[in-house]
Each structure stands twice: as structure tokens, then as C-alpha cells.
Amino acid sequence: MTKAKNGKKRDKNPVKQKTTPLRDLLRIPGGEPVDLTSHKTDATPGGPKDKAAGVLATARMGERLADLQERLYAASTAGDRRRVLLVLQGMDTSGKGGTVKHVIGQFNPSGCRIKAFKAPTPEELSHPFLWRITQALPVPGEIGIFDRSQYEDVLIARVRELVPPSDLGRRYGRINQFEQSLADDGVTVIKCFLHISYEQQRRRLLERVDNPDKHWKFNPGDIEERALWPAYQEAYEIALERCSTEHAPWFLVPADRKWYRNWAISKLLLEHLSALDPEYPKADFDVAAAREQLMRDAP
Amino acid sequence: MTKAKNGKKRDKNPVKQKTTPLRDLLRIPGGEPVDLTSHKTDATPGGPKDKAAGVLATARMGERLADLQERLYAASTAGDRRRVLLVLQGMDTSGKGGTVKHVIGQFNPSGCRIKAFKAPTPEELSHPFLWRITQALPVPGEIGIFDRSQYEDVLIARVRELVPPSDLGRRYGRINQFEQSLADDGVTVIKCFLHISYEQQRRRLLERVDNPDKHWKFNPGDIEERALWPAYQEAYEIALERCSTEHAPWFLVPADRKWYRNWAISKLLLEHLSALDPEYPKADFDVAAAREQLMRDAP
């Protein structure tokens, strides 16, 4: 800060003003009741001023994200066990698939492990509910992405009453223990709830119905699920309240605006990867000797 | 064609002149002896005139590739079993990883199934050599990418004499049968041999040795492998001769120039995907009814 002539303090470089990290803005405290209706779905907390600025800012993060990903991967080759797991949850059309395409598409695909969870198979159902989740976890150096996740087992399972209430009740604790074990093993868990409005879902479903190239994305069952909107919102509120923990917090991402959603999730990944600050490992070989050998060898 | 005033035939739009497809230019005929020394590693057959034009042309293919990928995936939701398998082989530093990053990075990552094959694990070794390959195959609608593949079992296995000669000899036939079965099941197999020179490998290994941020990519074992260059080239010649078939041809991609490599593999994918011409499936639901229901529903 410097003193301007009129005596008021002025920031030399306003761009560098310390802003609240997005992770703090979007984080659900946990342990407190959540009222989703109090969170606007078309809000843009901490975000760029409009779509054009948002798209540009997201594209600009791409290179840094890819660089941090490469460092994370490189570090794993020297024994660093750290990795990232991005969990995407939200109602149909909330943009889970779009996030994978636009946000994860910025990374080197060889370091990403993406899993879209569908209705459980008979084999998956024959195991505890976390079994299929553990099969899909990222290994050290990777960025794992779950399009739906263990939370389906307290969302659709709750709304559709797929399990007895006592089993359901235990699942929140199981999930917290499971995520604690991931954190203990070096997994940075980033859980994003993509929050859209009932009206926004209507618009997006209509887009699919009105565009023949999008018919394959539409399922009449989506309308049945939509009829259960209030029950799903309540199930999300409970999951966000009970499972937003210190080691694996939930972030509420307003997702009516796709550009904001892409920006926010890119930014959350950037903040978490920057905090990990992975480093290229030091050489474990004799650099000079290798160089000399390479200079003189012949087939 | 229109007649010009001087009576000569003139193409109205010279850009649309029919050019030889790249797949025909780069294809190894198969069944004939292959001499790799007769293929220049810094050639750019069929390619743009220089690096700037090549980078631009590759970027311009990105959108079409992503569109075709989406159609392929969409078609699979209606029962179309077709999928693509890109097999990348080549000496160390030939650019297999770079291809995944720059070419496959143009696709939606959720539709890509990428597998980098390393030295076989004890479990993998306890099975027939194609076992681990079958575990990593793409499912309908996907684009599979193998960074190394079943061919390691006739390359390093031959050079390092990891199996008896009779077993090795049988493997070429096994691979051809296996790839035939893939083709029969709707897999378009695109096998690319990334052809670099001994000198180019030296330069790229030196880059890794000279740049601390790339030390993690370097392994002194790479120099040992390099000492076996002639044996590897011979092993590739035999594999290309015996396993370039009608249903799963080999393409020889000169790879000293990274921009050409990226352009050529993008182009090969584009030609094959265009030939598949996947279509968005027709609606299997009552569009008007769905629309009406969506217009009037309320939570």
C-alpha cells in the first residue's frame, strides 16, 4: 500500500489484493443444518464478472493445472503417494459430464482416472456399498474423477428407500471413515455439489428433447426422478450436513451458469493442487555419467 | 471441373482436390519384408508444409474429432458396438506419451480408455500374454489407447529372449487372430509405429538429462535398451511384416518431428472415425409427450 496524494491509502497493484480463496467461499461448514433454498443457483461467488471473462479465466488456468498435474505425477515416481479425488454430485443435467469434458479436459488424460457410476451391477450389489468405489480410486500421482460416487448410496438410496433406515443411517458414518482413510493415505478429496434450480433443469431437459442430436441423452425416467425433486434436495441437505468434514469438505458450486461452474471447479482444483505444491523429484542417477555415455554411444 | 477459357480443364476449388488418404500413404503393406532404414524418420508424408501449419491443422481437427467421438459414444447407447483402439508403439522417447497428451487430449476424456503397459506384474505373467491386454480393451462407443501393447511380447520378448523361440514364433499368429476377433466385434484397430532415428533418441534423452524438471523421465536403463537398437529395429521390422493385416494394419509414422507426429495421428483418427460415420441415435421415446410433461410439471 502507498499513500496517495490525497492522503488515502491506495493499493499499488489492486490485482494482487488478497482475496478470499474460493475453497473458503464455497465450503459447506458441516455439522450444521443446510438449507439449499438459501443458496442461489445462479450466483457467481468470487467469480469473474461475466461469461466472457469467465471463459477466458478458465482457459488461462489450463496451463497451470496441467503443469501442477505433471509435477504431481512426477513426484509419484519418487514415492510421493499424494493424489487428488474430485467427486461430482448433482441432479440430472447439473453438469457433471460437462465438467469432465471442459475442466478435466484441460489435464493430460493419461494422468486422469475417470469413473462414472451407474446403477450398481448385481456383482456390485453383492458387496458392501463402498466396494465398487474402492475399485475406482486414483493411484499416487493421479487425478481421480467420480461422476456420481458413494453419495448415491445416501441419495437415491434414501429417496427410493432402497435400504432399511438403520442401514442408511450408518452409511454417513461409513462414508466419513472411508474418506478419512483416503485423506490419511494422501488423497486430497474435493467434493463438489453442482447446485441447479428446478427451472434450470426444466430448460436443460427441454433442450435435450428439442434437439434430435441430444435425444440419446434423454431418458423418460429423468422426468420421474424430477418428480422427486424435493426429496432429493432434502437428501442432499442431509449428506452435506453430515459429510462435510475437515478432511473431506463439501463445496457448493452454483451451477445454473455453466461458465461459472467450469471456472469454479477449475479454481478449486488449482487452489488444492497449488497447496500440495508437488515438486519434480531430484535425479536418482549420475547425471554427468549419463550425459557422457549418451554423447559417445553408437549402435 | 469447369472449362477455362483456354480450353484446359480447371478445378473450381483446388482445395477440394482429391488427395491420397493418409492411411494409404502410411500403411505398411504386410506380408513383405520391411526395411526401416528405407523410411526417413524426419519425413512428413502428406503433411502440412511446416511446423506452424502443422500445429494449426492439428488444432483445427480437434473439434471434428471431438464431434465424431460424441457421435460414436451416442451411437453406443443405442446398441452400436463399434469402438476404436489406437495402439502406440515405438522406441523410448518416440513420443507415445506426447501423443496421448496432445492428440488424445483433444477428445472428451470421459470417452477415452487409456492404458500404459509396463513390465508385466507377477499376476500378468501367470496368464497367457494377451490376458492383460483383454482387460484394458475399450467398450462400445469408447476410444481405447494403448501406450505399448501386445507387441511388447514380440519386441522386448524377442530382443531379450524372454521366451523360447517356438513360443515367440507362435505369438505373431496369436496376435493376428486376436486382432481379427476384435475387428469382428466392431473394433477399428489403428496401430501406429512411431519411427525415430538413433540420433533423435540421443537428442531427446540428452534433453531429459540436461533438464532437472525432466530427470524423473530418465532411467539409466534407457541407455542399456538403446545399446540394443539394431535388435529392436529388426524386431519391429518382423512385427510390421507379419502383423500388418487387412483388419488391423500397421501405420508407419515418421516421428522425429513432433508436430508431424501429432498431425498424422490426429489425421489417421479423423479418417477412420469419418469412415465409421457414427450417427446420433433416433429417439426411443415419445418426444411430444415428454415435452408436454416437462412444460407443465411442478415439484
Side-chain angles (χ1 to χ4, degrees):
Chain A
M1 304 281 262
T2 50
K3 271 208 167 178
K5 279 183 183 161
N6 60 10
K8 282 190 189 154
K9 279 181 182 175
R10 196 172 61 186
D11 201 310
K12 257 178 138 172
N13 184 351
V15 175
K16 288 201 176 169
Q17 267 179 355
K18 198 154 189 176
T19 52
T20 310
L22 192 65
R23 56 202 283 182
D24 293 337
L25 282 180
L26 300 186
R27 184 179 180 144
I28 297 287
E32 298 167 19
V34 175
D35 174 10
L36 285 179
T37 62
S38 74
H39 293 271
K40 287 188 70 176
T41 53
D42 62 353
T44 60
K49 69 178 193 319
D50 59 17
K51 180 175 174 178
V55 169
L56 188 66
T58 302
R60 283 196 175 142
M61 278 187 270
E63 202 171 326
R64 291 167 67 196
L65 286 170
D67 175 63
L68 284 161
Q69 179 198 18
E70 182 172 287
R71 288 168 184 268
L72 187 71
Y73 185 84
S76 78
T77 64
D80 191 332
R81 289 186 60 81
R82 292 180 301 171
R83 58 261 201 214
V84 169
L85 175 61
L86 177 70
V87 172
L88 300 171
Q89 284 286 164
M91 301 295 288
D92 281 339
T93 78
S94 62
K96 302 179 290 294
T99 300
V100 174
K101 183 173 173 178
H102 297 287
V103 178
I104 302 308
Q106 301 179 99
F107 289 113
N108 182 337
S110 68
C112 297
R113 190 178 293 246
I114 303 169
K115 174 70 182 180
F117 290 98
K118 315 275 180 188
T121 64
E123 187 188 17
E124 288 169 351
L125 283 172
S126 73
H127 291 282
F129 77 99
L130 290 171
W131 179 81
R132 66 174 186 160
I133 307 298
T134 60
Q135 315 289 308
L137 289 169
V139 298
E142 287 186 337
I143 296 182
I145 301 97
F146 284 176
D147 174 345
R148 304 186 187 273
S149 66
Q150 59 271 24
Y151 285 93
E152 291 299 317
D153 297 291
V154 292
L155 292 165
I156 190 170
R158 181 179 199 100
V159 172
R160 295 280 187 181
E161 296 176 0
L162 303 179
V163 288
S166 59
D167 287 5
L168 185 77
R170 269 197 298 272
R171 286 185 173 180
Y172 299 95
R174 291 267 189 281
I175 289 176
N176 287 340
Q177 288 162 2
F178 169 67
E179 292 175 356
Q180 176 75 64
S181 73
L182 294 181
D184 291 347
D185 198 36
V187 183
T188 296
V189 184
I190 308 171
K191 300 183 297 194
C192 293
F193 169 58
L194 309 187
H195 187 34
I196 58 166
S197 70
Y198 187 77
E199 280 309 311
Q200 184 66 25
Q201 189 188 58
R202 186 200 310 274
R203 280 191 288 274
R204 294 187 183 176
L205 287 174
L206 279 171
E207 270 172 36
R208 293 181 180 179
V209 166
D210 289 342
N211 182 349
D213 285 358
K214 291 190 174 180
H215 282 167
W216 64 279
K217 290 188 179 185
F218 184 82
N219 184 329
D222 297 346
I223 299 181
E224 282 172 53
E225 284 294 288
R226 178 169 163 76
L228 300 168
W229 185 275
Y232 271 106
Q233 296 292 298
E234 193 194 353
Y236 269 110
E237 287 172 341
I238 296 166
L240 295 176
E241 174 186 341
R242 298 198 189 167
C243 299
S244 193
T245 56
E246 192 61 42
H247 54 271
W250 268 108
F251 300 98
L252 187 148
V253 179
D256 275 4
R257 297 174 202 267
K258 293 176 182 176
W259 66 263
Y260 177 78
R261 173 202 77 204
N262 291 339
W263 175 84
I265 297 176
S266 298
K267 185 80 174 170
L268 286 172
L269 284 164
L270 187 58
E271 288 180 359
H272 283 87
L273 282 165
S274 299
L276 290 179
D277 193 22
E279 289 194 8
Y280 287 114
K282 296 217 191 319
D284 58 355
F285 59 93
D286 184 334
V287 175
R291 179 160 229 293
E292 198 207 349
Q293 213 177 340
L294 277 168
M295 290 301 282
R296 62 176 159 73
D297 70 0
Chain B
M1 303 281 264
T2 51
K3 272 210 168 177
K5 278 182 184 161
N6 60 10
K8 282 191 189 155
K9 279 182 182 174
R10 196 171 61 187
D11 202 309
K12 255 176 140 174
N13 185 351
V15 176
K16 288 200 175 166
Q17 267 178 353
K18 201 154 189 180
T19 52
T20 310
L22 193 65
R23 54 202 283 183
D24 294 336
L25 282 181
L26 300 186
R27 185 179 178 143
I28 296 287
E32 298 167 19
V34 175
D35 174 10
L36 285 179
T37 61
S38 73
H39 294 271
K40 286 188 69 177
T41 54
D42 61 353
T44 60
K49 68 177 193 322
D50 58 18
K51 180 174 174 179
V55 169
L56 189 66
T58 303
R60 281 195 177 141
M61 279 187 269
E63 203 170 325
R64 290 167 68 197
L65 286 170
D67 176 62
L68 284 161
Q69 178 198 19
E70 182 172 286
R71 288 168 185 269
L72 187 72
Y73 185 84
S76 78
T77 65
D80 190 333
R81 289 184 62 81
R82 292 180 302 171
R83 59 258 202 219
V84 169
L85 174 60
L86 177 70
V87 172
L88 300 172
Q89 284 286 165
M91 301 295 289
D92 281 340
T93 77
S94 62
K96 302 180 291 294
T99 301
V100 174
K101 182 172 173 179
H102 296 287
V103 178
I104 303 308
Q106 300 179 99
F107 289 112
N108 182 336
S110 69
C112 298
R113 189 177 294 246
I114 303 168
K115 174 71 181 180
F117 291 97
K118 315 276 181 189
T121 64
E123 188 187 17
E124 288 169 352
L125 283 173
S126 73
H127 291 283
F129 76 99
L130 290 171
W131 178 80
R132 66 174 187 162
I133 307 298
T134 61
Q135 315 288 308
L137 289 168
V139 299
E142 287 186 337
I143 296 181
I145 301 96
F146 285 177
D147 174 345
R148 304 185 187 272
S149 66
Q150 59 272 22
Y151 286 93
E152 290 299 316
D153 297 292
V154 292
L155 292 166
I156 190 170
R158 180 179 198 100
V159 172
R160 295 280 186 184
E161 296 177 0
L162 303 180
V163 288
S166 59
D167 287 4
L168 186 76
R170 269 196 298 273
R171 285 185 174 181
Y172 298 95
R174 291 264 189 284
I175 288 175
N176 286 341
Q177 288 161 2
F178 170 67
E179 292 176 355
Q180 176 74 64
S181 74
L182 294 181
D184 291 346
D185 198 37
V187 183
T188 297
V189 184
I190 308 171
K191 300 182 296 194
C192 294
F193 168 58
L194 309 188
H195 187 33
I196 58 167
S197 70
Y198 187 77
E199 279 310 309
Q200 184 66 23
Q201 189 188 58
R202 186 201 309 276
R203 279 190 288 274
R204 293 186 183 175
L205 287 174
L206 278 171
E207 269 172 37
R208 293 182 181 179
V209 165
D210 289 342
N211 182 349
D213 285 358
K214 292 190 173 179
H215 281 167
W216 65 279
K217 291 188 178 184
F218 184 82
N219 185 328
D222 297 346
I223 299 182
E224 282 172 51
E225 285 294 287
R226 178 170 162 75
L228 300 168
W229 186 275
Y232 271 107
Q233 297 292 298
E234 192 194 355
Y236 269 111
E237 287 172 343
I238 296 167
L240 295 176
E241 175 187 339
R242 298 197 190 168
C243 298
S244 193
T245 57
E246 192 61 40
H247 54 271
W250 268 107
F251 299 98
L252 186 148
V253 179
D256 275 3
R257 297 175 202 267
K258 293 177 182 177
W259 66 262
Y260 177 78
R261 174 201 77 205
N262 291 339
W263 175 84
I265 297 176
S266 298
K267 185 80 174 169
L268 286 172
L269 285 164
L270 187 58
E271 288 180 358
H272 283 87
L273 282 165
S274 300
L276 290 178
D277 193 23
E279 288 194 9
Y280 287 114
K282 296 216 188 320
D284 58 354
F285 59 93
D286 183 334
V287 175
R291 177 160 232 291
E292 198 206 350
Q293 214 177 339
L294 277 168
M295 289 302 283
R296 62 176 159 72
D297 71 358

PDB file of all heavy atoms in Angstrom, chain B residues 205-220:
ATOM      1  N   LEU B 205      16.991 -37.967 -25.193  1.00  0.00           N
ATOM      2  CA  LEU B 205      17.477 -38.437 -23.896  1.00  0.00           C
ATOM      3  C   LEU B 205      18.370 -37.368 -23.263  1.00  0.00           C
ATOM      4  O   LEU B 205      18.304 -37.135 -22.051  1.00  0.00           O
ATOM      5  CB  LEU B 205      18.243 -39.754 -24.055  1.00  0.00           C
ATOM      6  CG  LEU B 205      17.380 -40.997 -24.344  1.00  0.00           C
ATOM      7  CD1 LEU B 205      18.255 -42.216 -24.629  1.00  0.00           C
ATOM      8  CD2 LEU B 205      16.441 -41.305 -23.164  1.00  0.00           C
ATOM      9  N   LEU B 206      19.169 -36.693 -24.085  1.00  0.00           N
ATOM     10  CA  LEU B 206      20.022 -35.616 -23.560  1.00  0.00           C
ATOM     11  C   LEU B 206      19.160 -34.480 -22.995  1.00  0.00           C
ATOM     12  O   LEU B 206      19.496 -33.896 -21.962  1.00  0.00           O
ATOM     13  CB  LEU B 206      20.955 -35.088 -24.655  1.00  0.00           C
ATOM     14  CG  LEU B 206      22.225 -35.916 -24.896  1.00  0.00           C
ATOM     15  CD1 LEU B 206      22.962 -35.419 -26.137  1.00  0.00           C
ATOM     16  CD2 LEU B 206      23.153 -35.888 -23.668  1.00  0.00           C
ATOM     17  N   GLU B 207      18.057 -34.194 -23.659  1.00  0.00           N
ATOM     18  CA  GLU B 207      17.150 -33.162 -23.134  1.00  0.00           C
ATOM     19  C   GLU B 207      16.677 -33.523 -21.725  1.00  0.00           C
ATOM     20  O   GLU B 207      16.555 -32.667 -20.862  1.00  0.00           O
ATOM     21  CB  GLU B 207      15.908 -33.054 -24.021  1.00  0.00           C
ATOM     22  CG  GLU B 207      16.008 -32.035 -25.145  1.00  0.00           C
ATOM     23  CD  GLU B 207      14.799 -32.136 -26.079  1.00  0.00           C
ATOM     24  OE1 GLU B 207      13.677 -32.384 -25.569  1.00  0.00           O
ATOM     25  OE2 GLU B 207      15.005 -32.005 -27.293  1.00  0.00           O
ATOM     26  N   ARG B 208      16.393 -34.804 -21.544  1.00  0.00           N
ATOM     27  CA  ARG B 208      15.938 -35.241 -20.224  1.00  0.00           C
ATOM     28  C   ARG B 208      17.057 -35.150 -19.195  1.00  0.00           C
ATOM     29  O   ARG B 208      16.825 -34.789 -18.042  1.00  0.00           O
ATOM     30  CB  ARG B 208      15.427 -36.688 -20.306  1.00  0.00           C
ATOM     31  CG  ARG B 208      14.162 -36.806 -21.131  1.00  0.00           C
ATOM     32  CD  ARG B 208      13.637 -38.231 -21.157  1.00  0.00           C
ATOM     33  NE  ARG B 208      12.426 -38.276 -21.993  1.00  0.00           N
ATOM     34  CZ  ARG B 208      11.723 -39.375 -22.249  1.00  0.00           C
ATOM     35  NH1 ARG B 208      12.101 -40.526 -21.716  1.00  0.00           N
ATOM     36  NH2 ARG B 208      10.646 -39.324 -22.994  1.00  0.00           N
ATOM     37  N   VAL B 209      18.248 -35.480 -19.628  1.00  0.00           N
ATOM     38  CA  VAL B 209      19.382 -35.458 -18.703  1.00  0.00           C
ATOM     39  C   VAL B 209      19.755 -34.012 -18.359  1.00  0.00           C
ATOM     40  O   VAL B 209      20.142 -33.712 -17.230  1.00  0.00           O
ATOM     41  CB  VAL B 209      20.586 -36.199 -19.335  1.00  0.00           C
ATOM     42  CG1 VAL B 209      21.871 -35.891 -18.587  1.00  0.00           C
ATOM     43  CG2 VAL B 209      20.321 -37.709 -19.351  1.00  0.00           C
ATOM     44  N   ASP B 210      19.611 -33.119 -19.327  1.00  0.00           N
ATOM     45  CA  ASP B 210      20.048 -31.741 -19.138  1.00  0.00           C
ATOM     46  C   ASP B 210      19.017 -30.859 -18.451  1.00  0.00           C
ATOM     47  O   ASP B 210      19.319 -29.738 -18.058  1.00  0.00           O
ATOM     48  CB  ASP B 210      20.427 -31.114 -20.492  1.00  0.00           C
ATOM     49  CG  ASP B 210      21.724 -31.708 -21.033  1.00  0.00           C
ATOM     50  OD1 ASP B 210      22.460 -32.305 -20.226  1.00  0.00           O
ATOM     51  OD2 ASP B 210      21.985 -31.569 -22.247  1.00  0.00           O
ATOM     52  N   ASN B 211      17.797 -31.323 -18.316  1.00  0.00           N
ATOM     53  CA  ASN B 211      16.740 -30.526 -17.694  1.00  0.00           C
ATOM     54  C   ASN B 211      16.270 -31.193 -16.401  1.00  0.00           C
ATOM     55  O   ASN B 211      15.620 -32.238 -16.442  1.00  0.00           O
ATOM     56  CB  ASN B 211      15.572 -30.378 -18.674  1.00  0.00           C
ATOM     57  CG  ASN B 211      14.448 -29.520 -18.123  1.00  0.00           C
ATOM     58  OD1 ASN B 211      14.437 -29.195 -16.927  1.00  0.00           O
ATOM     59  ND2 ASN B 211      13.503 -29.165 -18.975  1.00  0.00           N
ATOM     60  N   PRO B 212      16.610 -30.578 -15.246  1.00  0.00           N
ATOM     61  CA  PRO B 212      16.237 -31.194 -13.955  1.00  0.00           C
ATOM     62  C   PRO B 212      14.745 -31.509 -13.844  1.00  0.00           C
ATOM     63  O   PRO B 212      14.367 -32.478 -13.187  1.00  0.00           O
ATOM     64  CB  PRO B 212      16.654 -30.135 -12.928  1.00  0.00           C
ATOM     65  CG  PRO B 212      17.740 -29.360 -13.601  1.00  0.00           C
ATOM     66  CD  PRO B 212      17.382 -29.338 -15.066  1.00  0.00           C
ATOM     67  N   ASP B 213      13.889 -30.708 -14.516  1.00  0.00           N
ATOM     68  CA  ASP B 213      12.447 -30.983 -14.463  1.00  0.00           C
ATOM     69  C   ASP B 213      12.074 -32.235 -15.250  1.00  0.00           C
ATOM     70  O   ASP B 213      10.931 -32.692 -15.194  1.00  0.00           O
ATOM     71  CB  ASP B 213      11.653 -29.799 -15.040  1.00  0.00           C
ATOM     72  CG  ASP B 213      11.620 -28.627 -14.079  1.00  0.00           C
ATOM     73  OD1 ASP B 213      12.180 -28.753 -12.965  1.00  0.00           O
ATOM     74  OD2 ASP B 213      11.055 -27.578 -14.438  1.00  0.00           O
ATOM     75  N   LYS B 214      13.031 -32.763 -16.015  1.00  0.00           N
ATOM     76  CA  LYS B 214      12.751 -33.978 -16.788  1.00  0.00           C
ATOM     77  C   LYS B 214      13.532 -35.195 -16.287  1.00  0.00           C
ATOM     78  O   LYS B 214      13.451 -36.271 -16.872  1.00  0.00           O
ATOM     79  CB  LYS B 214      13.059 -33.737 -18.273  1.00  0.00           C
ATOM     80  CG  LYS B 214      12.100 -32.763 -18.931  1.00  0.00           C
ATOM     81  CD  LYS B 214      12.282 -32.728 -20.447  1.00  0.00           C
ATOM     82  CE  LYS B 214      11.189 -31.864 -21.085  1.00  0.00           C
ATOM     83  NZ  LYS B 214      11.342 -31.794 -22.558  1.00  0.00           N
ATOM     84  N   HIS B 215      14.280 -35.015 -15.203  1.00  0.00           N
ATOM     85  CA  HIS B 215      15.056 -36.140 -14.681  1.00  0.00           C
ATOM     86  C   HIS B 215      14.178 -37.329 -14.326  1.00  0.00           C
ATOM     87  O   HIS B 215      14.573 -38.478 -14.487  1.00  0.00           O
ATOM     88  CB  HIS B 215      15.875 -35.701 -13.456  1.00  0.00           C
ATOM     89  CG  HIS B 215      17.117 -34.946 -13.821  1.00  0.00           C
ATOM     90  ND1 HIS B 215      17.867 -34.241 -12.913  1.00  0.00           N
ATOM     91  CD2 HIS B 215      17.746 -34.783 -15.017  1.00  0.00           C
ATOM     92  CE1 HIS B 215      18.897 -33.681 -13.518  1.00  0.00           C
ATOM     93  NE2 HIS B 215      18.834 -33.981 -14.798  1.00  0.00           N
ATOM     94  N   TRP B 216      12.976 -37.038 -13.861  1.00  0.00           N
ATOM     95  CA  TRP B 216      12.091 -38.137 -13.461  1.00  0.00           C
ATOM     96  C   TRP B 216      11.707 -39.026 -14.646  1.00  0.00           C
ATOM     97  O   TRP B 216      11.316 -40.175 -14.458  1.00  0.00           O
ATOM     98  CB  TRP B 216      10.830 -37.586 -12.785  1.00  0.00           C
ATOM     99  CG  TRP B 216       9.950 -36.770 -13.700  1.00  0.00           C
ATOM    100  CD1 TRP B 216      10.120 -35.462 -14.052  1.00  0.00           C
ATOM    101  CD2 TRP B 216       8.782 -37.213 -14.379  1.00  0.00           C
ATOM    102  NE1 TRP B 216       9.140 -35.061 -14.912  1.00  0.00           N
ATOM    103  CE2 TRP B 216       8.296 -36.117 -15.128  1.00  0.00           C
ATOM    104  CE3 TRP B 216       8.083 -38.421 -14.440  1.00  0.00           C
ATOM    105  CZ2 TRP B 216       7.150 -36.190 -15.917  1.00  0.00           C
ATOM    106  CZ3 TRP B 216       6.939 -38.498 -15.221  1.00  0.00           C
ATOM    107  CH2 TRP B 216       6.487 -37.390 -15.944  1.00  0.00           C
ATOM    108  N   LYS B 217      11.836 -38.484 -15.844  1.00  0.00           N
ATOM    109  CA  LYS B 217      11.509 -39.282 -17.026  1.00  0.00           C
ATOM    110  C   LYS B 217      12.679 -40.148 -17.473  1.00  0.00           C
ATOM    111  O   LYS B 217      12.535 -40.964 -18.381  1.00  0.00           O
ATOM    112  CB  LYS B 217      11.130 -38.364 -18.209  1.00  0.00           C
ATOM    113  CG  LYS B 217       9.824 -37.637 -18.060  1.00  0.00           C
ATOM    114  CD  LYS B 217       9.486 -36.927 -19.365  1.00  0.00           C
ATOM    115  CE  LYS B 217       8.146 -36.222 -19.286  1.00  0.00           C
ATOM    116  NZ  LYS B 217       7.777 -35.606 -20.572  1.00  0.00           N
ATOM    117  N   PHE B 218      13.837 -39.919 -16.875  1.00  0.00           N
ATOM    118  CA  PHE B 218      15.036 -40.613 -17.337  1.00  0.00           C
ATOM    119  C   PHE B 218      15.392 -41.781 -16.434  1.00  0.00           C
ATOM    120  O   PHE B 218      15.298 -41.701 -15.217  1.00  0.00           O
ATOM    121  CB  PHE B 218      16.221 -39.642 -17.402  1.00  0.00           C
ATOM    122  CG  PHE B 218      17.454 -40.278 -17.970  1.00  0.00           C
ATOM    123  CD1 PHE B 218      17.613 -40.396 -19.341  1.00  0.00           C
ATOM    124  CD2 PHE B 218      18.443 -40.789 -17.132  1.00  0.00           C
ATOM    125  CE1 PHE B 218      18.747 -41.007 -19.871  1.00  0.00           C
ATOM    126  CE2 PHE B 218      19.578 -41.395 -17.657  1.00  0.00           C
ATOM    127  CZ  PHE B 218      19.727 -41.499 -19.025  1.00  0.00           C
ATOM    128  N   ASN B 219      15.816 -42.853 -17.080  1.00  0.00           N
ATOM    129  CA  ASN B 219      16.205 -44.044 -16.349  1.00  0.00           C
ATOM    130  C   ASN B 219      17.492 -44.549 -16.988  1.00  0.00           C
ATOM    131  O   ASN B 219      17.543 -44.710 -18.215  1.00  0.00           O
ATOM    132  CB  ASN B 219      15.083 -45.081 -16.521  1.00  0.00           C
ATOM    133  CG  ASN B 219      15.326 -46.324 -15.706  1.00  0.00           C
ATOM    134  OD1 ASN B 219      16.469 -46.729 -15.493  1.00  0.00           O
ATOM    135  ND2 ASN B 219      14.249 -46.935 -15.267  1.00  0.00           N
ATOM    136  N   PRO B 220      18.549 -44.757 -16.191  1.00  0.00           N
ATOM    137  CA  PRO B 220      19.802 -45.233 -16.797  1.00  0.00           C
ATOM    138  C   PRO B 220      19.581 -46.498 -17.621  1.00  0.00           C
ATOM    139  O   PRO B 220      20.318 -46.760 -18.580  1.00  0.00           O
ATOM    140  CB  PRO B 220      20.691 -45.506 -15.580  1.00  0.00           C
ATOM    141  CG  PRO B 220      20.162 -44.623 -14.506  1.00  0.00           C
ATOM    142  CD  PRO B 220      18.680 -44.553 -14.734  1.00  0.00           C
TER     143      PRO B 220
END
